[in-house]
């Protein structure tokens, strides 16, 4: 570690005493913990551009007073100070700043629940037991060699060309997307891509319409960029086209292949109506298709983007669900009408790629060698079995007390349950029984006057042999409570 004292060359106090005072403050405040190894005399002198003498004098003084101790051939270590001494402080030292360790610092927003639950129905967890660890380990061993030292440097800001070509092929094969690799923009996270998109579309419009209820990332990101956000209600087959026209927005974000959270599929007739809206208003459609590959029954639903060539549809996809969030690679496919503006924005802002270059090359090889296609097909079968098991368990243990929506795709479904208790109370009871689930109330931008209680039940991460028991326990704490 290195110390960063503020030494005043013009002060009448010798520099070694200034250093002594600084280190005492750091120890008394707890920022230098007991048994912390201090930098060597020469290392600290070099870092502070001093001769070794004042540093050596400071260390000798601190050792004499018992703040530090010299261990032969190892260095100087911070010593334990009695609690009363710490409470007194040192001279005019700054008062102790509360830290999280004190248990007094409060978050502005709730932290994510990091607890482990025996029955974890998290709405977006993956099945980590079936991740292709061996293949990824082999690919990284292939890449992490001196011969590939160029991967230590900045890559293409838009994403590695080989990966973008693989993504273009994959999106066409699995989702019916029509694009070239030049249209693919890679990013580490959907928020990064949406922020970029909001800046890109700003010259076209300042107003966006979104599904209500829906996924909050898009409206929150655009609102942060100064956009007006209008929630548009859903019909049985997707977003209400009449309300969309009435909103006067020229940008809309939709999830037509598996609406979040309702799970409905937008039929071809409404998709064409939506594309016609974009044509008439000179508008743009953002198609959120994060889990479009994970459909378990019925024919695959092709993307909205691929219906009409050259349409102004921005397609969003990623590998967090079909592989793992830790891969850290998402992508955005721009229509040709936005490519030039994107390239100018990238050039003007000196933007660098946010997704790790190693991860991009590893994913490229994973796709080139056919591993991703095999993995998606294998996981689709696994998740379908879990999906069916969850539906059977809900029907067995809740009977007519609960309805299910949003089935046949993705990682979760919605369970509607009538109860005199609040959503928060029901979630609390579940957690006390070792069951993690979430209320769907947060997905409403404009809540309806009356609505049934709805809860996300995810099946991706929970072992299949725990699903039935988890739902049985949930029925006990909800039906008998």
């Amino acid at each position: 570690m290195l110390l960063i004292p503020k030494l005043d060359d013009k002060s009448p106090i010798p520099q070694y005493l200034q250093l002594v005072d600084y280190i005492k403050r750091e120890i008394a405040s707890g920022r230098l913990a007991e048994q912390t190894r201090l930098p060597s005399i020469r290392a600290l002198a070099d870092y502070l551009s001093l001769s070794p003498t004042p540093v050596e004098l400071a260390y000798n003084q601190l050792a004499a007073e018992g703040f530090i101790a010299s261990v032969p051939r190892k260095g100087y270590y911070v010593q334990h100070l009695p609690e009363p001494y710490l409470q007194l402080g040192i001279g005019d030292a700054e008062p102790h700043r509360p830290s999280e360790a004190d248990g007094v610092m409060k978050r502005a927003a709730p932290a994510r629940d990091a607890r482990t639950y025996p029955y974890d129905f998290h709405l977006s967890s993956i099945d980590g037991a079936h991740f292709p660890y061996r293949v990824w380990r082999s690919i990284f061993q292939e890449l992490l060699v001196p011969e590939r030292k160029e991967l230590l440097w900045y890559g293409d800001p838009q994403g590695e060309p080989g990966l973008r070509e693989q993504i273009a092929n994959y999106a066409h094969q699995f989702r019916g997307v029509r694009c070239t690799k030049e249209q693919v923009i890679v990013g580490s996270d959907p928020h990064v891509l949406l922020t970029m998109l909001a800046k890109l579309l700003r010259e076209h419009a300042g107003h966006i319409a979104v599904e209500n209820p829906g996924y909050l990332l898009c409206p929150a990101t655009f609102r942060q960029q100064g956009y007006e956000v209008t929630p548009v209600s859903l019909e049985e087959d997707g977003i209400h086209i009449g309300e969309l026209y009435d909103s006067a927005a020229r940008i809309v974000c939709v999830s037509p292949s598996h609406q979040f959270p309702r799970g409905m599929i937008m039929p071809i007739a409404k998709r064409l109506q939506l594309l016609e809206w974009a044509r008439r208003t000179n508008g743009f459609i953002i198609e959120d298709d994060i889990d479009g590959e994970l459909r378990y029954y019925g024919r695959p639903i092709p993307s909205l983007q691929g219906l009409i060539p050259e349409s102004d549809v921005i397609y969003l996809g990623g590998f967090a669900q079909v592989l793992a969030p830790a891969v850290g690679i998402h992508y955005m496919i721009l229509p040709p009408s936005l490519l030039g503006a994107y390239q100018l924005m990238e050039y003007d802002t000196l933007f660098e790629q946010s997704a790790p270059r190693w991860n991009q090359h590893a994913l490229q090889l994973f796709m080139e060698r056919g591993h991703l296609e095999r993995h998606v097909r294998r996981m689709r079968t696994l998740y379908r079995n879990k999906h069916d098991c969850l539906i059977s368990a809900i029907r067995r243990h809740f009977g007519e007390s609960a309805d299910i929506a949003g089935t046949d795709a993705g990682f979760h479904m919605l369970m509607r349950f009538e109860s005199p208790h609040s959503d928060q109370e029901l979630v609390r009871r579940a957690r006390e029984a070792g069951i993690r689930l979430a209320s769907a109330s947060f997905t409403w931008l404009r809540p309806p006057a009356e609505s049934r209680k709805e809860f996300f039940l995810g099946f991706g991460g929970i072992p299949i042999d725990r699903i039935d028991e988890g739902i049985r326990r949930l029925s006990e704490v909800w039906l008998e409570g």
Side-chain angles (χ1 to χ4, degrees), residues 190 193-194 197 218 253 286-290 314-318 331-333:
L193 295 172
L194 285 169
L197 182 60
C218 184
C253 184
I286 303 171
E287 180 180 8
D288 183 350
D289 197 33
I290 296 299
I314 299 105
Y315 181 88
L316 297 177
Y331 59 92
M332 172 171 67
I333 296 175

Side-chain angles (χ1 to χ4, degrees), residues 289-310:
D289 197 33
I290 296 299
D291 61 2
E293 304 95 327
L294 298 175
R295 180 163 178 77
Y296 309 123
Y297 293 101
R299 299 177 64 181
I301 308 299
S303 69
L304 174 68
Q305 189 269 3
L307 284 179
I308 298 179
E310 307 288 308

Side-chain angles (χ1 to χ4, degrees), residues 16-81:
Y16 89 91
L17 288 179
Q18 293 182 51
L19 188 55
V20 167
D21 184 59
Y22 169 80
I23 295 176
K24 283 183 178 180
R25 293 172 190 263
E26 293 294 289
I27 294 173
S29 69
R31 289 186 287 267
L32 278 177
E34 182 182 343
Q35 292 306 310
T36 298
R37 185 179 183 274
L38 297 181
S40 69
I41 291 173
R42 184 168 298 278
L44 186 56
D46 288 345
Y47 182 70
L48 299 177
S49 298
L50 299 173
S51 74
T53 301
V55 178
E56 184 176 9
L57 289 173
Y59 278 14
N60 288 340
Q61 180 66 30
L62 290 165
E65 295 185 31
F67 285 89
I68 65 175
S70 175
V71 179
R73 294 187 296 279
K74 291 187 177 181
Y76 291 89
Y77 289 81
V78 174
Q79 297 300 289
H80 171 73
L81 293 182

Side-chain angles (χ1 to χ4, degrees), residues 123-373:
L123 66 95
S124 58
S125 287
I126 66 164
D127 191 314
H130 291 81
F131 183 80
Y133 295 99
R134 182 186 58 78
V135 175
W136 275 82
R137 186 184 305 116
S138 174
I139 290 175
F140 270 109
Q141 287 175 343
E142 184 178 334
L143 293 173
L144 294 175
V145 293
E147 292 76 17
R148 300 301 303 272
K149 59 182 179 295
E150 76 277 2
L151 299 184
L152 295 170
W153 194 239
Y154 298 112
D156 190 319
Q158 190 171 327
E160 296 299 289
L163 175 61
R164 288 191 281 117
E165 183 171 6
Q166 289 299 315
I167 289 174
N169 294 336
Y170 172 80
H172 178 70
Q173 177 185 355
F174 277 85
R175 303 298 304 122
V177 172
R178 301 184 187 185
C179 71
T180 65
K181 70 177 182 181
E182 287 73 24
Q183 294 172 250
V184 178
I185 317 295
V186 173
S188 62
D189 181 83
H191 177 67
V192 172
L193 295 172
L194 285 169
T195 300
M196 189 185 304
L197 182 60
K199 295 179 184 296
L200 189 62
L201 292 175
R202 189 67 198 191
E203 66 178 84
H204 298 277
H207 185 185
I208 183 172
V210 296
E211 297 168 324
N212 185 46
Y215 192 47
L216 301 186
L217 178 61
C218 184
T221 303
F222 273 75
R223 188 180 289 114
Q224 289 171 359
Q225 296 300 317
Y227 281 74
E228 178 184 354
V229 177
T230 297
V232 176
S233 62
L234 298 175
E235 298 180 298
E236 290 298 319
D237 58 357
I239 195 167
H240 195 299
I241 300 295
E243 282 189 26
L244 178 58
Y245 276 103
D246 293 341
S247 74
R250 288 183 50 218
I251 307 170
V252 64
C253 184
V254 294
S255 48
S257 295
H258 185 228
Q259 200 278 335
F260 180 92
R262 287 287 180 264
M264 75 267 292
I265 298 166
M266 186 182 293
I268 184 66
K270 175 157 282 192
R271 291 177 186 234
L272 293 173
Q273 291 174 21
L274 191 56
L275 289 166
E276 177 64 12
W277 166 86
R279 189 191 66 81
R280 288 187 179 184
T281 62
N282 197 25
F284 293 89
I285 302 168
I286 303 171
E287 180 180 8
D288 183 350
D289 197 33
I290 296 299
D291 61 2
E293 304 95 327
L294 298 175
R295 180 163 178 77
Y296 309 123
Y297 293 101
R299 299 177 64 181
I301 308 299
S303 69
L304 174 68
Q305 189 269 3
L307 284 179
I308 298 179
E310 307 288 308
S311 58
D312 282 327
V313 178
I314 299 105
Y315 181 88
L316 297 177
F319 300 93
Q321 293 195 321
V322 297
L323 272 174
V327 172
I329 295 178
H330 294 255
Y331 59 92
M332 172 171 67
I333 296 175
L334 294 178
S337 60
L338 291 177
L339 271 181
Y342 164 79
Q343 291 161 358
L344 287 172
M345 182 179 73
E346 178 189 283
Y347 180 80
D348 289 341
T349 58
L350 301 178
F351 172 76
E352 293 295 349
Q353 177 54 235
S354 58
R357 202 173 179 195
W358 272 321
N359 287 22
Q360 292 187 66
H361 279 262
L363 180 56
Q364 176 186 331
L365 293 177
F366 190 78
M367 298 173 80
E368 283 178 352
R369 296 169 183 176
H371 296 302
L372 181 60
E373 181 177 346

